[in-house]
């Protein structure tokens, strides 16, 4: 286990410190420029499409999902342990400044995920029975023809099955088990059995059951967490200015809190922000396009704007809430980490310590455990769906039952195995997914821009006065 952990950590160091930074920021910049910052120009449109006809009862839709169900499924994948445990780990290792780099990744990632959702809609496949399949494998093969395209698509499929369907499920159940053991004293294996059984019941129902569950679970779990976070921030309101000051200060001079030279500290802060930012919002990773491909919309641009709101909610709302709570309670003022000593503080108990400083130990630990249960369980459901689509691509529909059974086993195993190894393996496969996905995204920039123009033109035709200025800018 120790040898494997060290080997995986070495691979991850090169991926996150160099390759991932270049690919994610580069792709986000590319699409921000090509679309003239669609994440700013069309943010209002995306917000209106998400919340303008908000409903928790989208119901079942043969051959697809409603736009909100697709978004809820995507957000369920995005809002998981990365928003609590992942954010805490980034702060603990990279300092409060790592959150700033998460924001940067998310801002440019909104343009990237717009492109992913558009391309997923453009290249999706509708089978004779009405089943809709879509995702990076389909736009990868559109760019790269022949054997090389099949190899890249196959590489992506294997990576996402391992990263999300198996290893990712282990991370989520591991975090649930850790939190429940700390809060309630329940043995991890008992938690693993319960989670595995509940997940298996949803897995059997396929995409429709995942959509119905996530559209109800996501708004409730996000609302609960935000309300709890706001209570803590109100209690620590005098430290909020200092909290933002610490984020911006340590984004550029992190050696004051991490130690070592400025170059090493800055690289650590940025790499933690990028790595945990990817794990949180998943923009550029190629996971959420599977959900957005299933949305029933008038044109791909519509779902692209909706997808951007998913990244915004994940990072700028939920993850930022975690960051503000943790930094304002543990780093600012009289916080236990204000002196720089982190003895007894781990990424798995950091959020519970933060909430407990206001709610009290029992209530604070229980609150985080319950939120983590919702977050992680919904992520397990969505990730399993994304893995299933790629299993079907590789092996056909007959493989569904075997895949679901294996996934249930991994959910249980995650509650019992080493947390560090599980996280490092998931990081490695997550990062490997980015490479073939980005290789296909860049050459398809023209397709994305054309879809943007068609979408704006359709908006202008539907509401001439409202959309006229946007079309004139084009």
């Amino acid at each position: 286990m120790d040898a494997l952990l060290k080997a995986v950590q070495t691979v991850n160091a090169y991926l996150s410190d160099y390759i991932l930074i270049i690919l994610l920021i580069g792709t986000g910049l590319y699409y921000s420029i090509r679309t003239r910052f669609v994440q700013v120009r069309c943010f209002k449109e995306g917000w209106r499409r998400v919340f303008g006809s908000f409903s928790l009862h989208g119901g079942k839709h043969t051959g697809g999902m409603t736009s909100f169900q697709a978004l809820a499924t995507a957000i369920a994948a995005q809002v998981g342990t990365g928003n609590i445990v992942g954010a805490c780990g980034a702060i603990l290792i990279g300092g409060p400044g790592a959150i700033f780099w998460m924001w940067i990744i998310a801002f440019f990632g909104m343009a990237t995920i717009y492109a992913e959702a558009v391309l997923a809609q453009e290249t999706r496949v509708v089978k004779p029975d009405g089943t809709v399949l879509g995702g990076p494998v389909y736009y990868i093969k559109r760019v790269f023809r022949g054997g090389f395209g099949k190899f890249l698509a196959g590489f992506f499929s294997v990576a996402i099955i391992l990263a999300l369907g198996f290893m990712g499920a282990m991370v989520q159940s591991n975090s649930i088990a850790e939190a429940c053991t700390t809060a309630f004293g329940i043995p991890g294996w008992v938690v693993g059995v319960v989670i595995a059984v509940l997940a298996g019941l949803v897995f059997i129902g396929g995409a429709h059951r995942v959509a119905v569950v996530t559209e109800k679970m996501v708004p409730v779990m996000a609302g609960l967490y935000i309300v709890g976070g706001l209570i803590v921030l109100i209690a620590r309101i005098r430290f909020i200015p200092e909290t933002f000051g610490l984020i911006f200060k340590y984004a550029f001079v992190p050696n004051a809190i991490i130690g070592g030279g400025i170059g090493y500290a800055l690289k650590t802060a940025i790499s933690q922000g990028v790595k945990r930012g990817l794990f949180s919002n998943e923009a550029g990773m190629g996971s959420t396009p599977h959900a957005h491909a299933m949305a029933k919309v008038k044109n791909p641009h519509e779902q692209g704007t909706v997808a951007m709101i998913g990244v915004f909610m994940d990072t700028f709302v939920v993850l930022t809430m975690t960051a503000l709570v943790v930094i304002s309670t543990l780093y600012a003022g009289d916080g236990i980490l204000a002196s720089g000593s982190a003895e007894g503080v781990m990424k798995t108990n950091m959020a519970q310590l933060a909430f407990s400083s206001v709610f009290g130990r029992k209530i604070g630990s229980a609150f985080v455990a319950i939120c983590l249960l919702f977050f992680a369980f919904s992520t397990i459901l969505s990730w399993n769906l994304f893995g299933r689509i790629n299993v079907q691509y590789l092996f056909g529909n007959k493989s569904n039952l075997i895949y679901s059974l294996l996934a249930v086993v991994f959910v249980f195993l995650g509650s019992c195995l080493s947390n560090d190894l599980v996280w490092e393996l998931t990081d490695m496969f997550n990062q490997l997914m980015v490479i073939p996905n980005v290789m296909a995204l860049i050459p398809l920039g023209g397709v994305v821009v054309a879809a943007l123009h068609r979408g704006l033109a359709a908006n202008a035709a539907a509401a001439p006065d409202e959309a006229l200025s946007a079309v004139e800018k084009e």
Side-chain angles (χ1 to χ4, degrees):
M1 284 287 189
D2 289 340
L4 178 60
L5 177 60
K6 290 179 181 178
V8 175
Q9 285 175 332
T10 301
V11 173
N12 284 342
Y14 284 100
L15 287 172
S16 62
D17 292 354
Y18 305 103
I19 298 174
L20 208 63
I21 292 175
I22 295 171
L23 291 181
L24 290 180
I25 295 180
T27 305
L29 276 170
Y30 171 76
Y31 271 109
S32 294
I33 294 171
R34 285 295 306 267
T35 62
R36 300 181 188 177
F37 289 89
V38 66
Q39 65 267 55
V40 177
R41 300 168 57 203
C42 297
F43 180 83
K44 182 179 178 181
E45 177 187 348
W47 189 269
R48 186 179 68 249
R49 292 191 184 284
V50 171
F51 296 104
S53 56
F54 178 79
S55 173
L56 298 181
H57 304 284
K60 292 186 177 181
H61 292 260
T62 303
M65 305 176 181
T66 66
S67 181
F68 180 75
Q69 285 178 331
L71 176 66
T73 303
I75 292 180
Q78 294 166 317
V79 178
T81 57
N83 294 78
I84 299 180
V85 181
C88 290
I91 295 170
L92 191 62
I93 298 171
I99 299 302
F100 172 83
W101 299 110
M102 282 187 172
W103 291 340
I104 296 297
I105 285 294
F107 175 76
F108 290 114
M110 289 173 70
T112 302
I113 211 163
Y114 172 87
E116 289 180 300
V118 165
L119 292 174
Q121 282 278 325
E122 291 277 2
T123 59
R124 70 181 192 164
V125 174
V126 182
K127 292 189 173 183
D129 63 355
T131 301
V132 179
L133 296 175
V137 293
Y138 297 97
Y139 56 72
I140 287 172
K141 290 176 67 176
R142 177 165 176 172
V143 176
F144 303 103
R145 307 286 182 177
F148 184 61
K150 290 181 179 179
F151 167 77
L152 280 182
F155 178 86
F156 177 88
S157 290
V158 171
I160 194 172
I161 292 167
L162 293 174
L164 305 189
F166 297 149
M167 301 299 175
M170 292 175 72
V171 164
Q172 306 300 326
S173 62
N174 186 280
S175 297
I176 294 173
E178 290 268 0
C180 288
T181 299
T182 301
F184 309 115
I186 304 173
W189 69 268
V190 175
V191 177
V193 169
V194 174
I195 295 300
V197 171
L198 292 175
L201 293 175
V202 181
F203 293 168
I204 294 172
H208 293 309
R209 188 170 296 174
V210 172
V212 171
V213 171
T214 56
E215 75 172 340
K216 295 174 178 60
M217 185 179 292
V218 167
V220 172
M221 73 183 192
L224 174 66
Y225 189 67
I226 291 169
V227 169
L230 286 174
I231 293 173
V232 174
L233 295 183
I234 291 171
R236 301 283 292 181
I237 193 166
R238 66 185 184 279
F239 298 110
I240 298 302
E242 181 184 352
T243 296
F244 280 99
L246 291 173
I247 292 173
F248 288 102
K249 173 185 176 181
Y250 291 128
F252 301 100
V253 284
N255 60 316
I257 196 167
I258 297 176
I262 182 65
Y264 165 79
L266 189 58
K267 185 183 76 170
T268 301
I270 294 175
S271 66
Q272 283 296 314
V274 171
K275 181 165 64 175
R276 294 303 172 206
L278 170 68
F279 188 77
S280 175
N281 65 55
E282 302 185 24
M285 196 166 78
S287 54
T288 58
H290 298 91
H292 294 301
M294 296 183 182
K296 292 184 175 182
V297 290
K298 295 178 181 178
N299 57 68
H301 166 75
E302 289 187 6
Q303 196 60 24
T305 61
V306 168
M308 295 190 306
I309 303 303
V311 172
F312 177 84
M313 295 298 295
D314 170 85
T315 301
F316 291 102
V317 178
V318 180
L319 184 142
T320 297
M321 182 62 70
T322 299
L324 295 179
V325 167
V326 166
I327 297 171
S328 66
T329 57
L330 303 185
Y331 285 87
D334 55 353
I336 61 175
L337 297 180
S339 62
S341 175
E343 185 177 354
V345 179
M346 301 176 291
K347 64 185 179 185
T348 53
N349 69 356
M350 204 172 180
Q352 289 176 322
L353 290 173
F355 279 94
S356 295
S357 67
V358 173
F359 291 164
R361 186 179 65 84
K362 289 185 178 180
I363 297 178
S365 295
F367 177 79
V368 173
I370 292 170
C371 290
L372 199 56
L373 172 62
F374 278 110
F375 284 13
F377 184 69
S378 66
T379 298
I380 289 172
L381 301 184
S382 292
W383 279 1
N384 179 267
L385 173 61
F386 302 161
R388 181 196 300 269
I389 292 170
N390 285 273
V391 167
Q392 291 175 349
Y393 168 77
L394 291 175
F395 306 110
N397 291 335
K398 294 182 180 180
S399 60
N400 284 341
L401 180 59
I402 296 175
Y403 166 72
S404 295
L405 292 175
L406 285 173
V408 169
V409 171
F410 273 89
V411 169
F412 171 73
L413 290 176
S415 64
C416 308
L417 295 183
S418 164
N419 186 58
D420 288 338
L421 179 58
V422 172
W423 272 90
E424 292 292 342
L425 283 170
T426 304
D427 281 341
M428 183 177 74
F429 288 114
N430 279 345
Q431 293 167 137
L432 289 174
M433 286 166 53
V434 174
I435 298 173
N437 185 52
V438 168
M439 287 177 64
L441 286 176
I442 298 299
L444 291 171
V447 177
V448 174
V449 173
L452 171 62
H453 290 169
R454 291 198 305 272
L456 292 178
N459 292 346
D465 295 335
E466 183 178 342
L468 182 58
S469 60
V471 175
E472 286 176 344
K473 289 179 181 178
E474 293 299 321

